[in-house]
Amino acid sequence: MLYGLGFCLILFLGSSGFGNPAFALSFVIFTLFLVFFLWVIKYIEFNRILAGKLILIAVLAFLVSTSWILPLLPQMRSGVESLAISNVVDFDSWIRSTSSPLAYTFSLRHFSDMHFPQNFYYKDWTFLQNFFIALAFLPILIITWSLTKINKLEKNKKIIFFSLLALLLLFVMLVARVRPPFEISNYYIYHLWGFNTLRGYDKTAIYIPFVISCLLLITLIGIKNKKWFYGLIILALLAPLPFYVGKLQQTAGYRVNSQKDYKEAKMSFLVKIPKEYYAIQDILNSEQSKSKIATLPATYSDGSGISYFPKWEFYGADITQHLYKKKLIEANSFSFPNWNYADDFSESNLKDNDWIIGLLGMMNAKYIIYHKDAPDDAVIKTLSKMKDLESRGLIKNLEENDYFILYKISPDYFMPYISWQKENVEIQGSITSVERNSQKIIEASIEASMQEINPKKFEIDFESSDFSKNIILAEKYDSLWKAYAIDKNGKEREIQNHFVARGYANGWEICGVESEKLSSYKVGDGKLSNCDDISKIIIEYYPIRLMWRGMWISGITVFLLLVYLIFSVWRLFKKRKMYKAGEL
């Protein structure tokens, strides 16, 4: 049982990497089927005692992991549902595009021919390409050979070997996706609820190297003359030699390049953020108001959030956001459902582009980082538009260099992070809708007096507010944002009427009537019955509330496990001491 408790403690330390639910699901598949195969091969026999121990370990494993499981559960449900209806992610196409040929999987190669060793980065050594590929097959060939010597292994090791081998074949099947002969079974597996989170190749492939390593270890244990085995393993380890010496990091980019120096490559895994991005930290980080930074222009219109800055060979999620204390509004993300406003800004031929400033200000953007280091065609389409907006006083140029221009949006267009709004003015995903309604929203809104408890929790003073019908949070709509009314006795009640405000944000209807602090609605219809009793409103991202509860549960469980393990070790040493003294 001590091994089981030790497993729970190790899980507590290691499961922080399961922030992506797909890895947690993959780990559950791994552990469940390992136990299943051990049972099928009769290494373990189920009885009441074993079942009780497994249940206890499962419960303890859950309790030590609640710090990340509790906040993840509502997010996972929301994420799975959004993936199912998303127009951005075509799940069936994704599964087909990430399927791995069996030969690639058994040799631990990436499914894409864009990666090493299929795409060989050393142009002067191309004659060694097939040699490196052949070396990659050595581990699985050793395991296959060991099947001919399996009878020489002890029974327990033999059973574990076949259990791990069955587990390896299971994950090979999952990684194969739509490849024969698994295309029919995998079709049904990947269309089970929640399995669409495994769309990424790495979510299931991650355990294959570990299982192969375990099989190699058992093979090594069963061999008397181990010198030749060590020789083959050393040869196999030469396959990723370019990774060990850092050459892959220099020459292998997200997109393949043929340059030998990452500074000359079109794209690379290694980038150096230009010093100009650091130079504006004082401007942006000294700003105390709750506001965001918008980015322009769009470099991709697929809603993926990927940025491309060829001037410093960068491709991926915008890493400059980590330099500033304010959140970035990505030009390449869908803040509005199925509408990339930044792409429309680039492509439109409108003479007047005031709408983009009205939109960004409405989204709580106080600053704009305009990327001159974006692709040339994107800059050509938009730079003159930005200069026109600047000349008309809608934005102010604070800093300009070869990489970007930092603008500040006119206070006339900037809207607070949390505000009261008299009525819900709907905005559709179009330029026309923004032009017609952005000014109406500005006129109908006033800033709410609020205190930031943490980045995901805010307290709004209700009693001293110039109260309007709705309260708006300038964050992309998410059902997991919750608003709670706190009465004068400290009693909390969730405000149920949560809606999409301004076409993208979170809005709550507080009392359901136009007149201030008055309601004729009954309790239970989604609106508060007595606004006069409200002293404050709390807006909080629900998973964070669950995270704090989970941390308490995990902390207490881990403390009890440590106390039990320390007591068990102390008792074990005491027994050994008594045995040596002849008292036992």
Side-chain angles (χ1 to χ4, degrees), residues 163-183:
S163 298
L164 290 170
L165 186 61
L167 200 61
L168 173 63
L169 296 176
L170 170 67
F171 277 95
V172 168
M173 178 188 75
L174 293 176
V175 170
R177 316 281 191 178
V178 295
R179 303 271 178 176
F182 307 117
E183 63 271 32

Side-chain angles (χ1 to χ4, degrees), residues 322-340:
H322 302 298
L323 302 177
Y324 316 119
K325 296 178 181 179
K326 298 183 181 299
K327 184 177 179 181
L328 254 61
I329 303 175
E330 298 281 1
N332 301 312
S333 296
F334 283 163
S335 297
F336 291 77
N338 302 319
W339 182 45
N340 189 319

Side-chain angles (χ1 to χ4, degrees), residues 422-492:
K422 293 180 181 179
E423 57 181 331
N424 180 27
V425 181
E426 293 188 6
I427 287 185
Q428 307 300 322
S430 69
I431 296 175
T432 303
S433 182
V434 173
E435 288 178 325
R436 289 176 178 174
N437 297 301
S438 60
Q439 189 60 36
K440 293 180 183 178
I441 292 174
I442 292 174
E443 294 172 355
S445 303
I446 55 174
E447 184 173 3
S449 175
M450 68 96 170
Q451 178 183 358
E452 182 176 348
I453 308 302
N454 62 54
K456 295 289 187 179
K457 184 177 181 179
F458 309 93
E459 181 181 300
I460 297 95
D461 185 0
F462 188 85
E463 292 182 300
S464 62
S465 296
D466 182 6
F467 174 72
S468 297
K469 183 179 179 182
N470 307 299
I471 191 163
I472 311 298
L473 173 72
E475 289 286 356
K476 185 176 178 180
Y477 178 83
D478 188 335
S479 61
L480 298 178
W481 278 104
K482 304 286 187 180
Y484 304 91
I486 312 298
D487 64 23
K488 294 176 181 178
N489 296 321
K491 184 179 179 181
E492 178 185 281

Side-chain angles (χ1 to χ4, degrees), residues 291-398:
S291 59
K292 300 191 183 77
I293 306 167
T295 62
L296 287 172
T299 53
Y300 287 93
S301 58
D302 58 1
S304 63
I306 296 297
S307 298
Y308 178 29
F309 306 134
K311 190 168 286 187
W312 46 290
E313 298 92 31
F314 177 75
Y315 179 92
D318 191 347
I319 57 175
T320 62
Q321 63 185 304
H322 302 298
L323 302 177
Y324 316 119
K325 296 178 181 179
K326 298 183 181 299
K327 184 177 179 181
L328 254 61
I329 303 175
E330 298 281 1
N332 301 312
S333 296
F334 283 163
S335 297
F336 291 77
N338 302 319
W339 182 45
N340 189 319
Y341 61 83
D343 192 47
D344 276 8
F345 176 65
S346 297
E347 300 300 330
S348 68
N349 295 317
L350 297 174
K351 184 178 180 180
D352 186 353
N353 289 285
D354 294 19
W355 67 271
I356 189 69
I357 304 304
L359 178 68
L360 296 178
M362 183 186 69
M363 297 172 69
N364 187 236
K366 181 172 281 190
Y367 299 93
I368 300 174
I369 294 179
Y370 176 81
H371 287 279
K372 293 165 66 176
D373 49 9
D376 290 340
D377 59 336
V379 175
I380 290 171
K381 292 177 181 178
T382 56
L383 183 56
S384 60
K385 298 177 183 179
M386 298 299 293
K387 291 296 183 180
D388 177 65
L389 294 171
E390 179 187 343
S391 66
R392 293 164 53 199
L394 278 70
I395 50 178
K396 180 181 179 182
N397 187 326
L398 300 181

Side-chain angles (χ1 to χ4, degrees), residues 67 77 126 165 249 311 319 450 469 545 564 575:
S67 58
R77 179 180 177 182
T126 53
L165 186 61
Q249 293 90 320
K311 190 168 286 187
I319 57 175
M450 68 96 170
K469 183 179 179 182
R545 176 175 289 202
Y564 179 82
K575 284 185 177 181

